[in-house]
Amino acid sequence: MTPTVTPYRSGRRAGRHGFLQLLHAEWTKFRTVRGSVIGMAAAALMMVLVALLAGASSDQKGSPPVPVGPGGEPVTDSFYFVHQPLAGNGSITVSVSALRSSIPTGPANLRPGNVPWAKAGLIIKQSTRQGSPYAAIMVTGSHGVRMQDNFVNDTAGLPASVSSASVRWLRLDRSGDTVTGYASADGTRWTRVGTVHVSGLGPTAQGGLFVASPPSVEGVGTRGSVSTAVFEDLRVRGGWAGGSWAGDQLGPESPSFAGYPRSTSGSFTGSDGSFTVTGAGDMAPAVRETLPTGGTRGDILTGTFAALIAVIVVGALFISTEYRKNLIHVTLAASPRRSRVLVAKAIVLGVVTFVTGLAGAVVAVPLGERLARTNGVYVFPVASSTEQRVALGTAALLATAAVLALSVGAMFRHSAGAVTTVIVAIVLPYILIAIPFMPAGVSDWLTRVTPAAAFAVQQTLVPYHQVTSIYTPYSGYYPLAPWAGLAVLAGYAVVSLAVATVLLRRRDA
């Protein structure tokens, strides 16, 4: 007597029960195939090993310490400072009639140049220690009057550049830890630019004139610059020490003055309220260009590249092996709706890859970071939420890439073509953006429209509008937000999965 077998009952509950069975069957297939398990283990292991190698090989011992701002962020704090002690409250006023910038063309030559964020103005700073809190009001090369404080905050004031025909008057008032900046075009009618609370100024601060001149972006790199400002009508009131003004270079002269003739290094001349001040450097958040020896979580997770290849191979083989061994019809017979088979494979593969990638990232980052710090490498700090996003995003990147490989494998029905296609789509753009001389426009395009956009989930650096730098993917700055970049890869995976489902229904009936 032949038994009656009814593997699926009609109805929603039966459908759910059948799909769970299908998931279980695909999971059993995956975990019982030694190559799949080894491939996933290798992916996690490569992430950890590359992180350890990166941390161990980066030896920056003996490098000068990186200044840290009041908020704990790395900063650039290098400028020429003409200052006096300010005990308690007081104000300082000055006019700026010129701000000229030069860029070196050789060891003994300078040419006039435009440095948009060259700065000259007034500052009240806790001390001459790098990274100490401050508030400043300034004229700039191309961005008008600005008030800035504690490196990261920037407020716009009066527009237009400074010249003898367009003088700008500046004033800073201190009352306790509150500093207010004013600007005027005639020295009579004043406009308040901003009021800031600068915690930690202390009972006696240092205040006076300053000039800073950050590097100028030229082509695919930056070149140092030096700026000179003319100050007149300097007046102070309140708790100023009085007497002569002292001039000091804050921060190292190198690299700010690298390649300049010695006669152009930071200096000031003048008295009786009129000064000519020359300086270089910047007061700003540190970016990759100003801290080239700094590391990021993305650098530590360079092993994602190797792990990506491993999970792409596993993903493609997860279905192409069934075509190669002519088992696909047996697999499809397990479900009356054949598209569910591909969905079940995608879920199993995606979950396993996500867990693998997360485990690799969670182990790799702290180990690689500890080794890097031991070897004197400064690792850009991040908030705990950003650290979690990098780990989860890296896992999601690997999982999505594996699903994409599975879908392409279903379309091609053999692993070699599928693996090659997905590697070219994801890995090749990643290699191209890793070329330092790749034009910024090409890198920007590659990380917007190709699956390599997903690497934005590993970005931890923040571009600042008040800092001119090379903001390219090579330096760790992606044009898309982290999750938007991952969405580009997810879009490719979803479309590929849909196409593979249609082909599965038509070709493998």
Side-chain angles (χ1 to χ4, degrees):
M1 184 175 182
T2 304
T4 303
V5 179
T6 56
Y8 298 99
R9 296 188 299 272
S10 61
R12 190 172 299 175
R13 288 184 60 190
R16 286 199 297 266
H17 181 69
F19 187 68
L20 291 176
Q21 286 183 327
L22 194 58
L23 282 174
H24 183 267
E26 293 301 329
W27 162 240
T28 301
K29 287 181 187 178
F30 188 92
R31 66 182 178 83
T32 54
V33 175
R34 182 179 298 178
S36 298
V37 176
I38 292 175
M40 287 297 169
L45 186 60
M46 283 187 286
M47 293 176 68
V48 176
L49 289 178
V50 172
L52 293 175
L53 288 173
S57 61
S58 53
D59 189 357
Q60 298 294 332
K61 291 180 180 179
S63 299
V66 177
V68 177
E73 67 286 333
V75 298
T76 300
D77 195 6
S78 176
F79 60 96
Y80 198 81
F81 193 14
V82 180
H83 60 98
Q84 283 186 10
L86 170 59
N89 301 331
S91 71
I92 180 170
T93 304
V94 77
S95 67
V96 188
S97 57
L99 176 59
R100 299 180 293 269
S101 299
S102 300
I103 298 170
T105 58
N109 296 306
L110 293 168
R111 64 170 174 82
N114 178 39
V115 180
W117 283 104
K119 304 170 183 178
L122 303 171
I123 183 171
I124 296 175
K125 190 172 171 66
Q126 179 200 57
S127 68
T128 56
R129 176 183 60 84
Q130 285 187 289
S132 60
Y134 73 92
I137 191 162
M138 67 202 71
V139 298
T140 62
S142 299
H143 298 283
V145 173
R146 318 293 291 202
M147 184 166 182
Q148 298 182 351
D149 67 281
N150 288 352
F151 304 95
V152 297
N153 303 312
D154 172 69
T155 304
L158 298 175
S161 299
V162 170
S163 67
S164 57
S166 179
V167 177
R168 286 290 179 264
W169 291 72
L170 307 173
R171 175 183 294 163
L172 275 184
D173 286 343
R174 178 196 179 183
S175 178
D177 283 348
T178 299
V179 181
T180 303
Y182 300 89
S184 172
D186 56 13
T188 302
R189 292 167 295 183
W190 292 87
T191 300
R192 184 173 67 85
V193 179
T195 298
V196 297
H197 180 77
V198 185
S199 178
L201 277 180
T204 300
Q206 294 291 322
L209 311 173
F210 79 94
V211 173
S213 191
S216 175
V217 175
E218 295 191 355
V220 295
T222 58
R223 186 183 291 270
S225 70
V226 61
S227 296
T228 299
V230 176
F231 299 94
E232 297 178 306
D233 306 299
L234 177 63
R235 301 191 299 271
V236 297
R237 65 177 178 82
W240 294 89
S244 62
W245 294 84
D248 290 305
Q249 170 66 36
L250 265 67
E253 292 190 359
S254 178
S256 297
F257 289 99
Y260 300 146
R262 290 301 303 170
S263 60
T264 63
S265 62
S267 63
F268 83 102
T269 59
S271 60
D272 299 327
S274 296
F275 296 90
T276 299
V277 183
T278 297
D282 201 7
M283 290 179 292
V287 296
R288 195 62 176 270
E289 193 69 22
T290 58
L291 192 58
T293 58
T296 67
R297 267 64 177 179
D299 298 330
I300 295 172
L301 288 172
T302 304
T304 305
F305 174 81
L308 193 63
I309 296 176
V311 301
I312 287 172
V313 172
V314 171
L317 288 173
F318 193 33
I319 191 166
S320 63
T321 299
E322 298 194 20
Y323 282 104
R324 181 167 55 84
K325 295 184 176 181
N326 202 26
L327 298 175
I328 188 66
H329 294 291
V330 176
T331 298
L332 295 177
S335 174
R337 296 174 59 181
R338 295 179 173 182
S339 61
R340 287 190 171 191
V341 173
L342 196 57
V343 172
K345 283 182 175 293
I347 292 173
V348 169
L349 179 65
V351 170
V352 172
T353 309
F354 182 88
V355 172
T356 299
L358 185 60
V362 167
V363 174
V365 169
L367 289 178
E369 183 177 352
R370 182 175 300 177
L371 263 179
R373 292 187 190 277
T374 301
N375 287 324
V377 176
Y378 182 86
V379 180
F380 281 85
V382 298
S384 58
S385 57
T386 302
E387 195 165 356
Q388 292 169 9
R389 184 257 295 165
V390 170
L392 293 171
T394 300
L397 186 162
L398 293 172
T400 309
V403 172
L404 176 61
L406 171 77
S407 304
V408 176
M411 288 188 280
F412 285 16
R413 294 193 286 186
H414 55 83
S415 58
V419 170
T420 302
T421 299
V422 179
I423 286 179
V424 168
I426 302 178
V427 178
L428 180 59
Y430 180 83
I431 294 175
L432 291 176
I433 65 176
I435 300 174
F437 300 108
M438 178 66 62
V442 175
S443 295
D444 183 86
W445 178 81
L446 288 172
T447 48
R448 284 182 182 273
V449 302
T450 71
F455 282 96
V457 297
Q458 294 183 341
Q459 174 172 309
T460 59
L461 300 177
V462 178
Y464 294 92
H465 71 273
Q466 73 271 32
V467 182
T468 301
S469 188
I470 308 296
Y471 293 123
T472 63
Y474 173 77
S475 299
Y477 300 92
Y478 288 80
L480 297 179
W483 297 118
L486 182 64
V488 173
L489 175 60
Y492 279 95
V494 169
V495 170
S496 298
L497 191 63
V499 172
T501 300
V502 172
L503 293 178
L504 195 69
R505 290 172 179 171
R506 292 181 179 178
R507 295 187 311 197
D508 300 298

